[in-house]
Amino acid sequence: MRMKRIGAVAATAAVALTLAACGGTSGDAGAQGGGDQQPYIAIVSKGFQHQFWQAVQQGAEQEAQAQGARITFEGPATEADIEAQVTMLTNALARQPDAIGFAALDSRAAAPLLQQASSRDIPVIAFDSGVDSPIPLTTAATDNKAAAAEAARHMAEALGGTGKVALVVHDQTSRSGIDRRDGFVEWMQANAPGIELLQPQYGGGDQARSADITKSILAANPDVRGIYGSNEGSAIGVVRGVAESGVTGLTVVGFDSGAAQVEAIRNGTMLGAITQNPVGMGRELVDAAIKATRGEALPPVIDTGFYWYDQSNIDSPEIQAVLYQ
Amino acid sequence: MRRTLRDRIQQFLAFASLIVIFGFFSIVSPNFFNYGNVTNILFSTVVIGLLALGTTFVIITGGIDLSIGTGMALCAVISGVLIVDLGVPLPLGVLGAILFGGLIGLVNGMNVAILGLPPFIATLAMMLVAQGLALVVSNSTPIYFDQTPAYIDLSIGSLIPGTDFPNAVLILALAAVVAGVLLNRTVLGRYTYSIGSNEEATALSGIDVRRWKIIIYTLAGLFTGLAGVMISARLGSAQPATGMGYELQAIAAVVIGGTSLSGGKGSIVGTVIGALIISVLNNGLQIMSIPQEWQNVILGAVILLAVYADMARKRAR
């Protein structure tokens, strides 16, 4: 029996090492910094498994290939894992990159590491949301407030400027959650006095929770005429919740894309949505990072853009290029 | 309590696995084995390590504590409220946050020992309560310690002159020594093993099992409070939405270290090694730029095999 136990522990180590070795060769590995001529850009994002981040990664990889650079792309499992992200940034710095791409979950929590990058002359490019620090050379991001205001404008137009509108927002702590809520609310308050906004509700960007929230909103306020979902998970949750509750004739406005949301717009259950340009964000990020390694000047902000899309333009090449499935 | 040869071997094997994994990464990556990166590994062990230390006691009694992750976030928020919002002097604020963790543990202990709730359910409920309270108390916004740099230095500052070796690692080491002494050299530790081995027999021998269970959960809570202080010091902010999932990583560290989930067996040294194995793997795989999906697969495989080793040991008895 003792042998069996020893075997199990030995197997633990063996499996870990084998998997590590396999991963090492299949990945874009090469842990060495320097040595080769290709600049190496370590990108630490806010996530990795959501379609949005995969689209950013795709754009970053395209641009890296086009310009002959090497990238790594990683992010924590959830947007609440701030410590995990700080550890990733620490480890990214240990790999001696030529530049860092960073989308901060909480920029102040990462401040000491950014300071370290700066003192080692590793340029930092912020993306997705601004890093609240003078260290990043530029920020490649969507203007979330302006984008949310655009969503509000389309909602108000569709409702003829009157009626009750509910908000299902992904969270109240992240910059994007706050901006997409405030951008929507402020535009309505300033421009649509006939629209009555309900208190925003938060579903963590989780489809099932957002659907439940939508159903309780509809149960409590039968006179709601419009609902806004602030990211992919929230928007799809709203569509699900509306369908499950059987209420018809609602105006639903969403954010981001993804197969389910695109389908909802095609079949008319959703009026339209704002899409960011994640592939473009990845490209701009890598382009800016490569320029930074050459010491070229960069603008303080790179607006990666957003688009309103609905049934009328969903098949246009311009929109198709930025939607992800 | 009884240190059999078998336990020693188990511990030695865990340690040997750590050395093998460490050696492997040192060979394959030039960026792994150097002062800076080894410091990074130790530093990233601190929070999970502290949670794992406290929960080792609970697991040895045959219990479980799922509330330590979000409980930690709540303690971080309490620390922020005390120090930033109320302006309480730093040492008192830190003490307050740690004691608040003890309070969470006390409630857990009473629910388990007096109301007789299964530990899994009692602490699952507390996990949700703590997550909600952290958001309520902080008004869902992070609390920043910008104005109290001494607090941040608890984690990233260095007491060792002329180095940047983080204090957090020293605090973890100290906490591990305290936990080790409590478990191996005090009556508390003896009863912890005794309750986990055979609760009824322990009660029949005249020991007030309820009281000691409450004390053990409270002790775990104190470690949770300390973890809350250390994570908020590291991040320079109390993050109310964080914490969920930390309990599982801490439990994984305890299990990899050879502590049995069915109680009665375990050690602090094992837990420290378990926590180190997790952070060495995380760090090494990231340093090697292994695709992230595979990093989780590898970590999962290690946990499975560690539990398998534990079961094989039990069948051997």
Side-chain angles (χ1 to χ4, degrees), chain A residues 1-2 4-6 8-13 15-33 40 47-48 54 57 70 72-77 80-84 86-92 94-96 106-110 112-113 172-173 178, chain B residues 5-6 9-10 13-14 17 20-21 24-25 28-31 37 40 43-44 47-48 135 140-142 144 146 156 231 234-237 239-244 246 281-283 285-298 301-302 305-306 308-309 312-313 315-316:
Chain A
M1 251 3 223
R2 181 170 300 161
K4 199 168 179 182
R5 194 153 22 87
I6 292 171
V9 176
T12 304
V15 166
L17 301 187
T18 315
L19 288 173
C22 297
T25 46
S26 70
D28 40 8
Q32 291 77 7
Y40 165 46
F48 74 102
Q54 298 212 333
Q57 179 172 9
R70 195 163 60 79
T72 52
F73 191 99
E74 61 197 330
D81 281 344
I82 297 165
E83 200 205 11
V86 168
T87 300
M88 282 173 178
L89 186 59
T90 308
N91 294 342
R95 291 196 297 260
Q96 319 284 348
D106 185 309
S107 40
R108 285 203 256 177
L113 288 168
Q172 65 270 63
T173 50
I178 293 167
Chain B
L5 182 65
R6 187 164 280 156
I9 287 179
Q10 169 78 13
L13 284 176
S17 312
V20 168
I21 295 170
F24 171 77
F25 285 127
V28 297
S29 172
N31 298 319
N37 193 53
N40 286 345
F43 189 46
S44 68
V47 172
I48 295 295
L135 289 167
S140 298
T141 44
Y144 292 96
D146 295 2
I156 63 176
I231 193 171
R234 177 184 187 186
L235 299 176
S237 55
Q239 297 284 348
T242 192
M244 193 69 101
Y246 279 70
L281 272 176
N282 273 332
N283 175 282
L285 298 173
Q286 280 176 19
I287 291 278
M288 278 181 70
S289 310
I290 303 290
Q292 204 164 358
E293 299 82 343
W294 284 105
Q295 296 181 14
N296 287 340
V297 173
I298 294 166
V302 169
L305 284 162
Y308 177 77
R313 174 175 54 167
R315 277 202 300 272

Side-chain angles (χ1 to χ4, degrees), chain A residues 100-309:
Chain A
I100 295 255
F102 183 51
L105 288 174
D106 185 309
S107 40
R108 285 203 256 177
L113 288 168
L114 294 174
Q115 200 58 54
Q116 196 190 330
S118 157
S119 64
R120 282 167 52 189
D121 286 327
I122 300 171
V124 178
I125 310 294
F127 69 103
D128 185 56
S129 58
V131 174
D132 189 12
S133 150
I135 290 168
L137 299 175
T138 183
T139 301
T142 308
D143 185 343
N144 276 310
K145 261 189 141 170
E150 179 74 3
R153 191 172 69 80
H154 283 275
M155 171 75 86
E157 269 175 19
L159 295 181
T162 58
K164 262 192 194 173
V165 170
L167 290 81
V168 179
V169 179
H170 51 285
D171 71 58
Q172 65 270 63
T173 50
S174 77
R175 197 68 251 163
S176 72
I178 293 167
D179 283 350
R180 290 184 196 174
R181 176 192 67 200
D182 292 352
F184 191 91
V185 169
E186 284 165 15
W187 190 92
M188 284 295 192
Q189 283 168 351
N191 301 293
I195 299 273
E196 184 196 341
L197 292 176
L198 298 176
Q199 198 66 21
Q201 300 291 319
Y202 303 93
D206 180 83
Q207 293 183 19
R209 264 173 69 200
S210 302
D212 290 340
I213 289 172
T214 302
K215 281 157 79 175
S216 15
I217 291 174
L218 290 172
N221 307 277
D223 53 342
V224 162
R225 293 187 56 215
I227 308 182
Y228 161 64
S230 70
N231 74 350
E232 183 184 338
S234 310
I236 296 168
V238 168
V239 169
R240 290 251 155 87
V242 169
E244 286 172 14
S245 68
V247 179
T248 53
L250 284 174
T251 300
V252 177
V253 164
F255 217 110
D256 294 335
S257 48
Q261 200 164 187
V262 169
E263 173 56 26
I265 290 171
R266 283 194 199 281
N267 70 24
T269 45
M270 188 184 270
L271 174 69
I274 296 287
T275 176
Q276 305 182 69
N277 184 358
V279 177
M281 191 184 287
R283 287 184 156 253
E284 295 283 3
L285 160 65
V286 169
D287 182 57
I290 291 171
K291 281 184 177 144
T293 61
R294 297 197 199 112
E296 290 175 32
L298 292 164
V301 177
I302 300 169
D303 185 358
T304 55
F306 61 85
Y307 304 91
W308 167 260
Y309 68 107

Side-chain angles (χ1 to χ4, degrees), chain B residues 10 15 53 68 118 129 171 175 178-179 274 286 295 307:
Chain B
Q10 169 78 13
F15 187 65
L53 287 176
I68 53 179
V129 168
I171 290 174
V178 170
Q286 280 176 19
Q295 296 181 14
V307 178

Side-chain angles (χ1 to χ4, degrees), chain B residues 14-66:
Chain B
F15 187 65
S17 312
L18 176 62
I19 297 298
V20 168
I21 295 170
F22 197 88
F24 171 77
F25 285 127
S26 305
I27 293 165
V28 297
S29 172
N31 298 319
F32 181 80
F33 187 62
N34 56 56
Y35 169 77
N37 193 53
V38 172
T39 309
N40 286 345
I41 292 172
L42 294 173
F43 189 46
S44 68
T45 313
V46 170
V47 172
I48 295 295
L50 287 172
L51 292 176
L53 287 176
T55 214
T56 301
F57 289 83
V58 171
I59 291 177
I60 292 176
T61 67
I64 194 95
D65 190 345
L66 299 177

